[in-house]
Amino acid sequence: MSTIFDHMILLSNGVQMPQFGLGTYKMTDPEETLRAVEKAISLGYRAIDTASIYQNEREVGEAIRNSGVPREELFITSKVWNDEQGYDETLRAFERSLTALDMNYLDLYLTHWPVSASYVDTYRAIERLYDEKLIRATGVSNHHEHHLQELFAIANIRPMVNQVELHPLLTQQPLREFCHEHQIAVTSWSPLARGKLLQDPTLSAIASQHDKTVAQVIVRWHIQHDLIVIPKSVTIERIKENGEVSDFALSSSEMAMIDALNRDERTGTDPDTY
Ligand SMILES: NC(=O)c1ccc[n+]([C@@H]2O[C@H](COP(=O)([O-])OP(=O)(O)OC[C@H]3O[C@@H](n4cnc5c(N)ncnc54)[C@H](OP(=O)(O)O)[C@@H]3O)[C@@H](O)[C@H]2O)c1
């Protein structure tokens, strides 16, 4: 039987990116991080999302080596933090991430936030990393349509991924449509709205219909919308639970009911006022 770990999203350059992976924001305890990432990989997770600001790249790299899974079977994403941005600065930040992870390439490297004075130069540096085959795909995070338009004006290679806050309270429909039109895959960050939705009555009713948890229903909603989804957990049972979403499907009316929960409500910051 196919599992969620086999689902791939085809990026605009032909690279296959796993549709489901592990987020690692707030994994700050080294032992806990090692245990969570190792467990996730042993369960079948093949994509790990980290960032220099999470300060866990060292443990993520170590867990990957401990897992025994060949590097080329994994998809590793990292990001350049706001105070590391600019052309030369980004090249140096990438070197630091690579050293911390102890790897010789990354699958995807993202501008973490569009710092207004430097995000264009930051993306130019990411293009160079791609040209030099140090990353397999280019991308950005927290970019609105106007930031992407700005990049299109200078880019030789358009970003292949945009990672943004996205969950049933913030469905980002216009941005998703824009990205789809321009062949940019969308990754949902805080896909579970950091737990805010776990008691929601609509989601609870749908979950009990399918004998699933609310978290599984939300993950399934992202998957059926062709979004890349990276829930974070350090709890072994939840890491397992979040990946068990291949044995049920939401009907179109259930998808519409979840879509209707949208309130354009962020759990994090608006990129325009960051
Ligand atoms: N690009 C960006 O700017 C940006 C910003 C934020 C996040 N991200 C990325 O997106 C990832 C996911 O976002 P996130 O960590 O903010 O939020 P999230 O995945 O929506 O929620 C994580 C929280 O939900 C809990 N949780 C996970 N699975 C659960 C389950 N099955 N049942 C109940 N609770 C559950 C976790 O607790 P435990 O860990 O205690 O189990 C944790 O407190 C991050 O880790 C990071 O990799 C990117």
Side-chain angles (χ1 to χ4, degrees), residues 18 46 50 76 78 90 101 119 124 136 138 166 190 233 273:
R46 290 295 177 265
T50 183
I76 310 304
S78 193
T90 298
L101 285 154
Y119 75 94
R124 284 178 47 244
R136 295 176 64 230
T138 71
L166 204 159
S190 290
S233 181
T273 52

Side-chain angles (χ1 to χ4, degrees), residues 153-186:
I154 60 99
N156 296 318
I157 314 151
R158 289 186 173 189
M160 291 143 202
V161 175
N162 188 13
Q163 182 181 122
V164 295
E165 181 176 352
L166 204 159
H167 43 69
L169 293 174
L170 178 70
T171 55
Q172 300 259 33
Q173 192 56 35
L175 182 60
R176 274 159 59 194
E177 279 166 23
F178 178 83
C179 287
H180 181 71
E181 196 184 316
H182 294 277
Q183 293 182 284
I184 299 172
V186 175

Side-chain angles (χ1 to χ4, degrees), residues 136-151:
R136 295 176 64 230
T138 71
V140 294
S141 178
N142 299 305
H143 280 44
H144 285 322
E145 181 177 330
H146 72 90
H147 298 115
L148 292 168
Q149 295 279 20
E150 199 69 38
L151 295 186

Side-chain angles (χ1 to χ4, degrees), residues 25 49 141-142 163 190 192 194 232-235 238 242:
Y25 178 47
D49 183 84
S141 178
N142 299 305
Q163 182 181 122
S190 290
L192 305 174
R194 294 189 181 146
K232 171 264 176 186
S233 181
V234 290
T235 314
R238 291 172 173 174
N242 294 342

Side-chain angles (χ1 to χ4, degrees), residues 80-153:
V80 49
W81 186 240
N82 303 349
D83 64 5
E84 300 176 309
Q85 291 189 32
Y87 189 83
D88 291 336
E89 292 85 346
T90 298
L91 298 177
R92 285 196 287 268
F94 178 79
E95 248 343 285
R96 286 193 294 275
S97 282
L98 221 47
T99 303
L101 285 154
D102 196 9
M103 292 178 179
N104 50 23
Y105 72 96
L106 289 186
D107 296 279
L108 177 64
Y109 195 52
L110 311 175
T111 308
H112 207 142
W113 289 84
V115 173
S116 52
S118 47
Y119 75 94
V120 171
D121 285 340
T122 299
Y123 186 73
R124 284 178 47 244
I126 292 176
E127 280 189 312
R128 173 165 161 186
L129 295 170
Y130 181 74
D131 286 340
E132 292 181 354
K133 299 197 172 9
L134 291 165
I135 55 176
R136 295 176 64 230
T138 71
V140 294
S141 178
N142 299 305
H143 280 44
H144 285 322
E145 181 177 330
H146 72 90
H147 298 115
L148 292 168
Q149 295 279 20
E150 199 69 38
L151 295 186
F152 291 173

Side-chain angles (χ1 to χ4, degrees), residues 3 12 20 56 64 67 107 114 141 161 188 216 237:
T3 70
S12 60
F20 179 81
N56 60 17
I64 287 166
S67 76
D107 296 279
S141 178
V161 175
S188 305
Q216 288 170 324
E237 301 72 49

Side-chain angles (χ1 to χ4, degrees), residues 33-34 37-38 41 58-68:
T33 304
L34 271 174
V37 177
E38 283 178 24
I41 296 174
R58 200 165 300 281
E59 289 75 32
V60 168
E62 194 179 333
I64 287 166
R65 286 188 297 284
N66 293 346
S67 76

